[in-house]
Amino acid sequence: MPRNRTRRSLKITRIIVWTLLLLVLAPPLLTVIYSVVPPISTLMIGRYAQGLWVDRQWRSLDQISPHLVRAVITSEDARFCEHRGVDWDALHGQIQKLNAGQEARGASTITMQLAKNLFLWGDRSFIRKGLELPTALMIDQILTKRRIMELYLNVAEWGEGIFGAEAAAQAWFGKSAADLTQAEASRLATALPNPILRNPARPGRGHARLADTNQRRIANAGNIFGCVLASR
């Protein structure tokens, strides 16, 4: 009996070790694959598993309006071209707010959001946020900024079952993502924090105000888009 227990214990230990190795190695290996292959997000996988409808039509960055690129960077991560996956200054500011008993929001970069969409889960927790940081740093080391933006714009959620810029442009405006106007792009970008409740085609008063602010910020942003739009 003791020998059988020992064998079972060794078998369980091996399974645990191999599982941990798989969890550690899978994200970098998949990220290398995603440098050339279109991925799907964990949220899409969850919907597929439940038999729910998913609309995602992959488009290269050259097939997406630069208005949307500018609007998303301005709205979600104005230092996208400067940081290496994590905006440590913004993160430090949010930690200071937490220490002061204030509500912390923001500090999640586009790369961190991509890390969540590709490899993690959607609910907010310190565990998930802690995993986002090294995953985002790893993604930034492997992929170019253009590829990160291309992946993000193709997996971001823009409504119930609507994923990616092309599906969003077709669903909300009846046109291709390549033909989005600046106003439409700003509405889409400012819908990202709450894509289920915000309607880019018929924005509420608060949403419309955010979109207008986004357009003004783009006009005054300067060259914060160069790592993505330098060749456009």
Side-chain angles (χ1 to χ4, degrees):
M1 285 291 283
R3 187 175 296 174
N4 289 337
R5 277 201 211 99
T6 301
R7 287 175 179 169
R8 281 198 299 270
S9 178
L10 286 171
K11 187 176 181 180
I12 292 171
T13 301
R14 288 194 194 99
I15 291 172
I16 292 172
V17 169
W18 280 108
T19 301
L20 290 173
L21 280 172
L22 182 63
L23 290 174
V24 170
L25 294 175
L29 288 174
L30 285 172
T31 300
V32 171
I33 293 171
Y34 293 159
S35 67
V36 292
V37 175
I40 61 174
S41 70
T42 53
L43 188 53
M44 287 185 224
I45 292 171
R47 290 185 65 86
Y48 283 131
Q50 299 174 70
L52 298 176
W53 174 78
V54 170
D55 183 11
R56 199 281 290 273
Q57 305 163 48
W58 176 270
R59 292 293 183 270
S60 70
L61 200 60
D62 290 328
Q63 296 172 304
I64 298 173
S65 170
H67 289 310
L68 185 60
V69 175
R70 293 187 187 98
V72 168
I73 289 177
T74 302
S75 178
E76 297 286 287
D77 186 2
R79 297 187 67 236
F80 176 69
C81 288
E82 299 176 34
H83 63 66
R84 301 306 303 171
V86 177
D87 188 340
W88 295 108
D89 291 338
L91 192 61
H92 180 67
Q94 296 308 308
I95 292 172
Q96 286 185 319
K97 283 188 176 181
L98 280 174
N99 291 336
Q102 302 173 17
E103 183 181 1
R105 11 186 8 176
S108 183
T109 66
I110 287 172
T111 315
M112 289 169 66
Q113 292 178 58
L114 180 63
K116 178 195 71 175
N117 289 340
L118 293 183
F119 302 117
L120 302 171
W121 58 95
D123 65 312
R124 295 185 178 184
S125 68
F126 287 112
I127 294 175
R128 195 211 75 194
K129 187 61 71 174
L131 291 172
E132 264 183 36
L133 298 178
T135 307
L137 293 171
M138 176 270 297
I139 288 173
D140 193 88
Q141 286 296 310
I142 295 174
L143 302 178
T144 66
K145 291 289 188 179
R146 275 184 62 84
R147 184 60 175 177
I148 290 170
M149 179 59 63
E150 186 172 66
L151 294 182
Y152 180 69
L153 291 180
N154 276 282
V155 299
E157 183 183 24
W158 262 297
E160 189 70 37
I162 301 170
F163 296 92
E166 182 66 21
Q170 295 287 355
W172 296 117
F173 302 112
K175 61 170 63 175
S176 167
D179 298 325
L180 289 167
T181 66
Q182 184 174 320
E184 292 164 346
S186 290
R187 290 181 183 182
L188 283 173
T190 51
L192 282 169
N194 200 342
I196 303 301
L197 295 181
R198 291 180 183 174
N199 183 330
R202 295 183 179 83
R205 186 176 299 174
H207 184 185
R209 187 162 52 246
L210 289 172
D212 290 342
T213 300
N214 180 261
Q215 290 189 67
R216 289 195 297 272
R217 288 177 61 199
I218 291 170
N220 298 311
N223 187 30
I224 66 170
F225 316 109
C227 64
V228 182
L229 296 175
S231 63
R232 299 290 293 271

